[in-house]
Amino acid sequence: MNQPMNQRGLFLTLEGPEGSGKSTQLRMLAQRLRAAGHDVLETAEPGGTPIGLQIRRVLLDAKNQELSPTAELLLMFAARAQNIDQWILPALAAGRVVVCDRFTDSTLVYQGAARGLGAEMVYDIDRIACRGLVPDLTLLIDVDIETGLARAHRRNQRTREVETRIDEQSLEFHKKVRDAYRHLADDEPKRVKLIDGNRPEAAVAADVWTAVEPLLAK
Ligand code: TMP
């Protein structure tokens, strides 16, 4: 199996339930990194690359209700493999800072836990798609389910969003997502930093920077 290239850059991911504000935090973090002189690649999953964006449409189109959990899992990793090969590994090899909105942790909590496919199946496919690539640091923006879903709902109405198939899942589903994220932070405290996203953007951004800054010095 191919191994990831020699990694010289820094790989940061943002994670969180619906409406956690992680995408806003990602933009703020990227700006701050650039202001500090770093060469930054911003990407997202599912999506990022042009091919990944086409896969994203299939995954999130509210019309695709019949998409099976296993097909969903494989498509998430198909978009990820494309992102890794086309954008992430070359950027890391060039010494850039990669900030990615969601990564395998999302698959662990959404497909592994909330859909019930199990962590083992997710790790099996991760071995093929990601070939050992693990984030150096993951910023997990935690938010109350009700607050997060209300934010996501307002955003979807404002933008007339059609990519709603997953955020329209039941409250029970989103509770499983949040619980699984919190377990992940407990299990991997060195890599996964839990940040309270129920606060103003600037306060969350300050905590994000406090977590990232020590890695930049290395
Ligand atoms: P986004 O709203 O953060 O762009 O994420 C899109 C949706 O896709 C969101 O509901 C979470 C879901 N998702 C998964 O279910 N599994 C995954 O592996 C990823 C990356 C996202």
Side-chain angles (χ1 to χ4, degrees):
M1 202 185 294
N2 292 339
Q3 291 299 315
M5 297 175 205
N6 258 348
Q7 187 180 322
R8 293 195 289 117
L10 191 62
F11 184 32
L12 309 173
T13 58
L14 278 97
E15 294 281 353
E18 312 301 324
S20 64
K22 66 179 169 42
S23 306
T24 305
Q25 290 300 324
L26 184 138
R27 281 193 297 276
M28 292 168 83
L29 173 62
Q31 264 176 16
R32 194 156 182 184
L33 285 165
R34 288 194 181 104
H38 296 278
D39 185 1
V40 179
L41 171 72
E42 279 175 71
T43 185
E45 298 203 347
T49 65
I51 288 171
L53 281 173
Q54 294 176 58
I55 299 172
R56 178 183 174 95
R57 271 182 227 122
V58 173
L59 275 163
L60 301 185
D61 189 334
K63 290 205 284 291
N64 289 341
Q65 292 297 323
E66 70 272 33
L67 189 68
S68 81
T70 308
E72 181 179 282
L73 172 76
L74 292 170
L75 286 172
M76 290 294 176
F77 273 114
R80 184 161 306 136
Q82 186 66 33
N83 201 2
I84 289 172
D85 290 334
Q86 190 177 349
W87 282 2
I88 297 177
L89 289 184
L92 292 175
R96 301 176 72 190
V97 180
V98 176
V99 283
C100 189
D101 191 338
R102 301 193 181 280
F103 198 66
T104 296
D105 295 318
S106 280
T107 321
L108 270 175
V109 307
Y110 282 83
Q111 282 68 46
R115 290 275 191 236
L117 293 177
E120 205 174 314
M121 194 187 285
V122 176
Y123 284 127
D124 280 349
I125 310 199
D126 179 78
R127 270 191 287 281
I128 298 167
C130 304
R131 284 148 283 154
L133 180 66
V134 177
D136 296 300
L137 177 70
T138 296
L139 303 146
L140 168 53
I141 316 293
D142 183 47
V143 70
D144 295 335
I145 301 295
E146 289 74 15
T147 310
L149 287 179
R151 282 183 192 163
H153 185 67
R154 278 198 300 276
R155 178 199 59 208
N156 290 345
Q157 287 203 318
R158 200 175 52 241
T159 58
R160 295 171 189 261
E161 186 59 77
V162 291
E163 293 183 340
T164 55
R165 194 180 59 84
I166 296 181
D167 41 77
E168 278 171 359
Q169 297 297 310
S170 66
L171 199 58
E172 195 50 39
F173 179 93
H174 292 293
K175 281 195 177 126
K176 284 186 189 160
V177 166
R178 187 183 186 209
D179 289 350
Y181 267 134
R182 293 173 69 95
H183 278 126
L184 198 67
D186 286 343
D187 290 348
E188 292 190 63
K190 273 190 87 170
R191 175 178 69 87
V192 182
K193 299 288 175 215
L194 186 87
I195 294 175
D196 179 2
N198 296 290
R199 299 170 300 152
E201 267 169 31
V204 178
D207 283 2
V208 166
W209 190 251
T210 302
V212 170
E213 212 177 9
L215 295 189
L216 298 171
K218 287 185 186 164

